[in-house]
Amino acid sequence: MPNAEFPHKWGMVIDLDKCTGCQACVVACQAENNIPINTKDYFLQRRAYEWIRIERYWEGEYPNIKARFMPVLCQHCENAPCEPVCPVFATYHNEEGLNVQVYNRCVGTRYCINNCPYQVRMFNYWHPNWPARLENQLNPDVTVRTRGITEKCTFCVQRLRRGEIEVEARGGQRLNDERIAGGNYDPACVQACPTNALMFGDLEEPDTAIKPYFDDVNAHPGHGEHDRETRGYRLLEEMNTRPSVIYLKKIDQYPLKGGH
Amino acid sequence: MQEGKALPAAQVNRDLLRSILETPRWFWPVVSLLGMVVLAAAVTIGIMVDRGLGITGLNYKVVWGFFITNFVFWIGISHAGVMLSAILRLAKAEWRRPATRAAEVLTIFSLMTAMIMPIIHTGRPWRILYWAFPYDFARGVWPNIRTPLVWDPSAILTYLTSSTLFVLIALVPDFAVLRDRTTGWPKIVYTMLAMGWEGNPRQWKLQIIAGVLLSALILPVFVSVHSIVSWDFGMAVAIKSWHSTVFAPYFVVGAVHSGVSAVVFAMILLRWAYGWQDYIRHEHIDALGRLLIVVATGWFYFLVMEIIFGIYGLEGDELAVRALQFLPGDHGVAYNIWMIVFVGITYFLPVILWLPKAWRRNLWIMSAACISVNVGMWLERYLLFVPGQANKQFQTFTWNDYLPQWPEALIVGATFAFVSMLMLLFSRVFPLVPLYDIKEGDILKTEMQIGRRTVPATFRED
C-alpha cells in the first residue's frame, strides 16, 4: 500500500439506461491492458477474449424487436467463488476490495474459470503476439501475460496505484472522485465511455457519487429488491457473491407491443 | 462355488510362473506396438507443453474437456482393486482369489495414468509442484487447502501408497517362490524383494495380519478418493449440473461398476494369453458377473437420482442443462442421442447380458458386456462434465460448444495402451495370479454332504 492512511474499497456502477453498446470500453480495455488482438483465428477457435464484454440480447420477434446491451466485467465479488478454489492462491482479495490475479503464481488449472458465475476469467491458450509495430504500443505499466495462465479485469489497478502514489503518497491528499477523474486514474473503460454509463469510485469515501446506489442495494438485498429506491441491482444476486459492481436497470420508454 | 479340482502345489507354481519364466512369441510385438502408441502420445504431450494448450479443442467456455474426463475415468478403474481384494477378502468370498492381484495391479497403474491427466491439462505443467506438493518453497505461500484441487493429490497419493503396500505384502510369498526358481541377476532382485521369506508359521501369520489390517485401513481411502474427485465438480457453484451433493456416492458406485468390468475383461485376456484355464475359471467370471449386476443397478439408481435432484428444484439454469442433455435441439452436438447411447450401453445392454447363467459363462459375451460398460462409463463422465460447461451458463451470451482435437484424442487413446503395456510388462516380472492365495484356497477346499448330494465347500476356522 502506498499510503495506509487512506483505505479504499473500489466499486463501479453501470447504468444500462445510458449504455449504447458502442464497445468503446472494450477497445479501451484491450489497449490499456495489453490484451492480445482477437484475430479471426481466435474467434474461430472460440477463444477470443475481452476483460469487459458487451453482452447483446435480442428481445421480441422481428419486426417488434429490441436490442439490449450489458457490459460485463469482473465483478470483484466480496465473496468470490473463484478465490477458494485456486490451489496456489493465484487469485485472492486485497485490502482495497479488489479480486486480484497474481500471474506469476498461476499454474493454469482453470478451476477459477469454471467457478466464476459471470464468465469473466480468460485463459491464455496461445502465447500472445502482436503485429510488428503494435508491440511498440504495449502499456509498460501492465504485465504481458504468458500462455497457460488465467487473467481478468483488474479495475485497471496500475492506474489506481499510480494515483495512490502521485496523489496520496506524494501529495498527501485523498484520492476522491474529482482527483480520480482529474488525473485520469479511473479504469480505461470508465474513461472511454462516451455516455458516462460507467461510474467508478471509492466506497470508503463518504461523498462519492456511487455510494447511494450501493447503500440502497445493500439496504434491500435479494428478497427485498422491490423496496429499492434506485434502479440498482447486482448480477446474479442469488449466488451471494456480493459483487462490487452495481447495475442500474434500463428504463423502458417504449415497451414492446404485448411486451413482457 | 468351488468347481475346479484342487491342483498340486508344484503344478500351480509351474503354470502360474510360466508367464515369467518363458516369453510367449506374441509378447514383444504386442508390447512394442503399445509402446509406439505411448511414444506418439508422449511426443504430443511434448508439443503441447512447448506450444501451449492451444492445440487442444478447449476454448473460452469449455476449459475442462477430454483430459479431465479421462482422469476421472481412470480414477474410477482404480477402484476395482480394493473392491475385489479388500472388500471381498473381508467378506471371505472364496471366488475372489485369482482376480485379486490383477485388480490391485490395475489399481496402481490406472492411478498412475490418472495422475498424468490433470498435470498435462494445466497451463504451466512445469509449475505443478506448487500445487501438488504441500510445501511453500520459500515463497511464503502454502497451497490453498480450501480447494478440492489440493485434496485430490492427497487422496490419490494416499491411495497409491496404500495400494502399493497392499500388493507388495501379497507378493512377498510369491517373490520367495520366484527367488527359488531363478538364477543370475533376477535371483538377486527377487531375493531382496522376498525380504527373507522362509514360509515359517510366524511369517505367514504376520503376512495374513498385515493383509487383513491393510484391507480394513484401505476401505475409507477407497470411499474417500472418488468422493474427493467428485467434489472437484460438486463444489463448483457456477456450473449448474455439477453443483450437486449426490456426486460422491454416485461417483464411487460408478467407479466400482467400471473398475470391476475392466478387471473381468483383463482376466479374460490374461486367461487367453497365458493359458490359465485352470485358475481363472468360468465360475469366477460368473461370480463377478453376478456382482456386477448388483453394482450396475446401484449405479443406475444414483444416475436416476442425480437427474431427479437436478430437475426437482425447477431452477431455470439447471433445467436448461437438463434440456440440453435430454431434449433434441439445434446445438452442435446431439447430447440427447449420446445420453441414450450411454445409458443403454452402461446399464441395459450389459445387465441383460449378465442375467442368464449361460451368458455369464460365455467369455465372448462377458468381454463384450465389460467393454460396453467401460465405453459407457467414459461417455458418462464426458456427458456429465461438458454440457454443463458448454452451452448452459448463467449468462446465455457466453454459451459455447466443444470439439476435441487430435492431440486430446491421441493422448486419451494412448492412456489405454499405456495401462495395457504396464500390465503386460508386470506380468512378465511378477505373477499376476497370486500363487499362495490359490494354494490356500485349494487347501481349504473340501466337500460337504447335503442329503444325498456332495457339494464343494470351503471351511475356515477364523
Side-chain angles (χ1 to χ4, degrees), chain A:
Chain A
M1 288 311 98
N3 196 337
E5 245 179 83
F6 304 112
H8 297 292
K9 180 170 176 352
W10 304 110
M12 189 182 277
V13 170
I14 298 177
D15 190 343
L16 296 183
D17 201 34
K18 289 185 191 164
C19 178
T20 60
C22 71
Q23 310 251 7
C25 51
V26 179
V27 176
C29 178
Q30 302 272 132
E32 169 74 18
N33 289 303
N34 297 341
I35 297 172
I37 292 164
N38 286 322
T39 57
K40 188 181 170 189
D41 281 352
Y42 277 38
F43 274 102
L44 291 178
Q45 294 166 358
R46 298 157 185 266
R47 291 176 186 149
Y49 66 88
E50 296 154 341
W51 284 6
I52 180 170
R53 64 170 184 268
I54 303 290
E55 296 197 348
R56 184 207 57 207
Y57 295 104
W58 294 108
E59 201 173 291
E61 291 291 325
Y62 181 83
N64 194 15
I65 195 166
K66 272 189 175 188
R68 307 276 195 197
F69 300 105
M70 180 164 71
V72 178
L73 70 167
C74 175
Q75 308 283 309
H76 294 272
C77 313
E78 286 168 34
N79 188 15
C82 55
E83 287 168 10
V85 298
C86 178
V88 291
F89 282 113
T91 179
Y92 75 100
H93 228 69
N94 79 358
E95 301 87 336
E96 301 186 6
L98 296 181
N99 173 275
V100 290
Q101 178 79 15
V102 186
Y103 305 129
N104 280 339
R105 288 181 191 164
C106 181
V107 296
T109 65
R110 309 198 281 291
Y111 201 162
C112 56
I113 302 182
N114 267 339
N115 228 21
C116 174
Y118 308 101
Q119 314 299 338
V120 292
R121 298 184 146 263
M122 301 292 163
F123 186 74
N124 285 272
Y125 283 98
W126 299 110
H127 199 82
N129 58 55
W130 285 266
R133 291 292 185 81
L134 275 179
E135 282 187 343
N136 298 330
Q137 66 87 51
L138 291 180
N139 185 351
D141 290 341
V142 179
T143 320
V144 172
R145 281 80 56 187
T146 172
R147 70 175 160 86
I149 63 165
T150 300
E151 60 181 60
K152 62 161 198 81
C153 162
T154 61
F155 265 177
C156 285
V157 67
Q158 68 280 5
R159 292 184 174 210
L160 298 175
R161 283 283 178 269
R162 178 180 288 174
E164 283 163 5
I165 292 167
E166 289 178 358
V167 177
E168 295 183 342
R170 293 191 195 139
Q173 290 170 302
R174 198 181 166 85
L175 194 60
N176 59 13
D177 279 6
E178 190 191 331
R179 293 191 190 102
I180 290 175
N184 291 340
Y185 301 128
D186 40 10
C189 52
V190 176
Q191 202 184 10
C193 183
T195 58
N196 290 329
L198 308 177
M199 286 175 278
F200 184 78
D202 178 6
L203 294 169
E204 293 281 336
E205 169 91 20
D207 49 348
T208 181
I210 63 166
K211 184 92 170 153
Y213 299 108
F214 277 85
D215 287 344
D216 182 41
V217 172
N218 288 339
H220 310 285
H223 52 273
E225 222 178 312
H226 48 277
D227 294 330
R228 285 176 192 162
E229 294 177 3
T230 64
R231 295 173 286 130
Y233 70 97
R234 287 183 163 118
L235 271 193
L236 303 176
E237 251 167 297
E238 71 276 16
M239 301 284 297
N240 195 28
T241 52
R242 291 190 288 160
S244 302
V245 178
I246 277 185
Y247 286 80
L248 303 184
K249 284 173 197 163
K250 189 173 175 64
I251 299 166
D252 225 356
Q253 222 170 338
Y254 306 101
L256 289 170
K257 276 177 224 150
H260 13 258

Side-chain angles (χ1 to χ4, degrees), chain B residues 76-137:
Chain B
I77 297 289
S78 77
H79 280 56
V82 176
M83 178 66 199
L84 282 184
S85 34
I87 293 180
L88 296 184
R89 179 177 196 149
L90 293 177
K92 299 201 176 113
E94 282 301 315
W95 49 267
R96 79 188 138 86
R97 291 184 188 278
T100 48
R101 177 80 41 82
E104 289 155 13
V105 172
L106 187 63
T107 295
I108 294 175
F109 290 149
S110 54
L111 270 181
M112 285 162 53
T113 312
M115 275 161 48
I116 299 171
M117 290 293 119
I119 292 176
I120 60 170
H121 126 109
T122 57
R124 302 203 284 187
W126 53 92
R127 294 189 165 227
I128 210 70
L129 275 186
Y130 293 125
W131 158 23
F133 194 68
Y135 184 67
D136 82 336
F137 294 102

Side-chain angles (χ1 to χ4, degrees), chain B residues 372-388:
Chain B
S372 156
V373 166
N374 275 300
V375 174
M377 287 305 288
W378 205 95
L379 267 179
E380 181 223 16
R381 275 67 177 250
Y382 185 81
L383 292 171
L384 208 56
F385 302 155
V386 172

Side-chain angles (χ1 to χ4, degrees), chain B residues 1 20 37 60-61 95 127 137 173 205 232 257 264 301 305 359 383 400-401 413 416 462:
Chain B
M1 231 3 263
I20 298 166
V37 177
Y60 158 55
K61 267 334 312 136
W95 49 267
R127 294 189 165 227
F137 294 102
K205 199 175 167 189
D232 288 350
H257 186 32
V264 172
Y301 169 77
M305 279 301 122
W359 287 1
L383 292 171
N400 215 336
D401 218 329
F416 291 84
D462 52 1

